[in-house]
Amino acid sequence: MNFADSEVVAAVMQMAGYDLCDSLEEADAVFMNTCSIRDHAEQKANARLEYFSQLKRKKKHLIVGVLGCMAERVKEGLLEQKVVDLVVGPDAYLDLPNLITAVEIAAAKNPDGTAIVPEVCIFFENHLLRGNRTTKINAENFNAFRSYNYPILATAGIHIKYETHLIRRPDPSKPFKAHYLLDNNVLFLTLFPGIREEIADLVSQVKGLKAVILKTYGAGNAPQRPWLVSRLKRMTEQGMIVVNITQCSKGRVEMGLYETSLQLLEAGVVNGYDATPESMLTKLMFLLGLGFTRDEIVEKMNQSLRGEITID
């Protein structure tokens, strides 16, 4: 089993352009294949990892991966060991080249020791994409992610080419802070031809609802229905936040460009610019969770907090 799996891994890596080495000392990446049914599998793996740790002290760029069914079973313990960079189960061997490059990018440093890419990203099919600009477009094909409204941050080939002018740089004077407070009293309302008045009524009556993400046509347009504008205006007057994003994958909302979006602007609807649905949902949950007032949230919705929208 282990030998067969190792052959599969070797073939996957070679198809991705990697070469096999004759010795561990020559390698830039080392994979240890494991099997739960072997006697003393964990003890043997830990002993081998100690040797890899010695190698890594000499070659700091060395990537160490632990593969197989045992690795998947005890992955939390393995990742606690600083020597292990990747833990991959048998079902994910095809993702190995992708994972290795992702680790390389995450660990890449500038000459001054700072990270080359100090932001949350998705690496897939040789492209590095800003996380809050990316959406999944395909449930079956490998080329599954796309960033329609922001350029690619890096491209991987023989070397990794970084578009440094596009990468967001945090303020080095501010400490890193993880935020855990999210308020999920948010929902989507997708507009469509023939939408019924009762649907908007039901949305406005949801208990505890604080924000609605309105998915509109084109550049932010909505059906010219007096009852729709009336319901939206009532929501905003009651303190609810209503944000306008387009149903189109590419492009942005331009409030007031056409009469059909001007009516939304007059009803107190907030511009969502070129945000993805995923980032807009997260942004609202984040701001609501921090307890900001409606006016403060509206102000921050018109700001790019983490590079999630483009503001001219």
Side-chain angles (χ1 to χ4, degrees):
M1 178 70 76
N2 280 61
F3 184 73
D5 283 2
S6 295
E7 286 190 325
V8 170
V9 171
V12 167
M13 297 305 295
Q14 286 178 305
M15 284 190 293
Y18 290 84
D19 294 322
L20 295 178
C21 297
D22 294 326
S23 68
L24 289 173
E25 289 71 17
E26 297 177 51
D28 295 310
V30 175
F31 300 132
M32 178 174 62
N33 205 359
T34 64
C35 181
S36 292
I37 63 173
R38 297 289 180 89
D39 292 335
H40 310 295
E42 291 183 36
Q43 293 92 323
K44 291 177 180 178
N46 287 329
R48 198 62 172 160
L49 286 174
E50 178 56 37
Y51 175 62
F52 293 161
S53 179
Q54 295 174 21
L55 284 179
K56 207 164 187 176
R57 283 194 283 269
K58 297 177 183 177
K59 298 178 68 172
K60 296 188 182 299
H61 68 277
L62 180 67
I63 294 174
V64 175
V66 185
L67 318 180
C69 50
M70 189 213 82
E72 195 168 38
R73 182 171 56 82
V74 297
K75 57 185 175 184
E76 288 81 7
L78 288 170
L79 289 172
E80 288 175 0
Q81 303 184 45
K82 294 182 178 180
V83 65
V84 178
D85 300 298
L86 298 171
V87 177
V88 180
D91 295 334
Y93 290 158
L94 289 175
D95 294 328
L96 271 170
N98 202 61
L99 290 168
I100 286 179
T101 309
V103 169
E104 288 180 320
I105 292 172
K109 304 287 186 184
N110 291 305
D112 62 359
T114 58
I116 292 178
V117 185
E119 59 173 302
V120 177
C121 298
I122 294 174
F123 180 77
F124 210 79
E125 284 294 291
N126 299 322
H127 291 147
L128 184 71
L129 311 173
R130 176 170 291 168
N132 59 24
R133 290 291 194 140
T134 305
T135 191
K136 190 163 187 176
I137 62 166
N138 198 307
E140 296 184 357
N141 293 344
F142 288 130
N143 193 11
F145 294 93
R146 192 80 84 249
S147 173
Y148 287 106
N149 292 317
Y150 198 77
I152 293 167
L153 301 182
T155 303
I158 296 176
H159 302 289
I160 300 172
K161 181 184 178 183
Y162 296 98
E163 305 296 340
T164 54
H165 64 289
L166 298 173
I167 296 171
R168 187 177 180 277
R169 305 288 170 188
D171 185 345
S173 67
K174 295 181 179 179
F176 173 79
K177 182 179 180 181
H179 295 274
Y180 302 101
L181 299 175
L182 297 176
D183 189 329
N184 64 357
N185 287 294
V186 184
L187 61 73
F188 286 98
L189 175 58
T190 302
L191 299 184
F192 55 90
I195 187 171
R196 291 165 50 186
E197 189 172 346
E198 301 96 291
I199 294 176
D201 286 336
L202 287 171
V203 167
S204 64
Q205 293 169 16
V206 173
K207 186 178 179 180
L209 187 63
K210 297 178 182 178
V212 174
I213 301 170
L214 196 66
K215 298 180 75 174
T216 58
Y217 311 143
N221 307 310
Q224 289 187 299
R225 300 287 185 270
W227 62 262
L228 177 61
V229 178
S230 174
R231 296 302 187 283
L232 294 173
K233 187 173 182 180
R234 186 189 308 167
M235 289 180 191
T236 60
E237 287 175 346
Q238 291 173 348
M240 199 176 298
I241 301 156
V242 182
V243 183
N244 183 0
I245 65 169
T246 177
Q247 295 178 30
C248 301
S249 298
K250 186 175 178 60
R252 57 183 290 155
V253 164
E254 297 189 48
M255 300 280 281
L257 181 63
Y258 300 103
E259 187 177 347
T260 48
S261 65
L262 181 61
Q263 60 181 345
L264 300 181
L265 191 62
E266 292 171 346
V269 176
V270 180
N271 194 337
Y273 300 94
D274 57 352
T276 64
E278 298 90 343
S279 71
M280 185 54 62
L281 177 67
T282 306
K283 187 173 183 178
L284 281 168
M285 287 183 174
F286 166 68
L287 294 174
L288 288 167
L290 290 177
F292 289 114
T293 66
R294 184 188 185 281
D295 288 344
E296 289 172 331
I297 291 176
V298 169
E299 181 183 354
K300 292 182 184 299
M301 295 304 290
N302 285 286
Q303 300 171 2
S304 177
L305 302 182
R306 299 294 184 273
E308 74 283 355
I309 55 177
T310 304
I311 297 180
D312 296 333

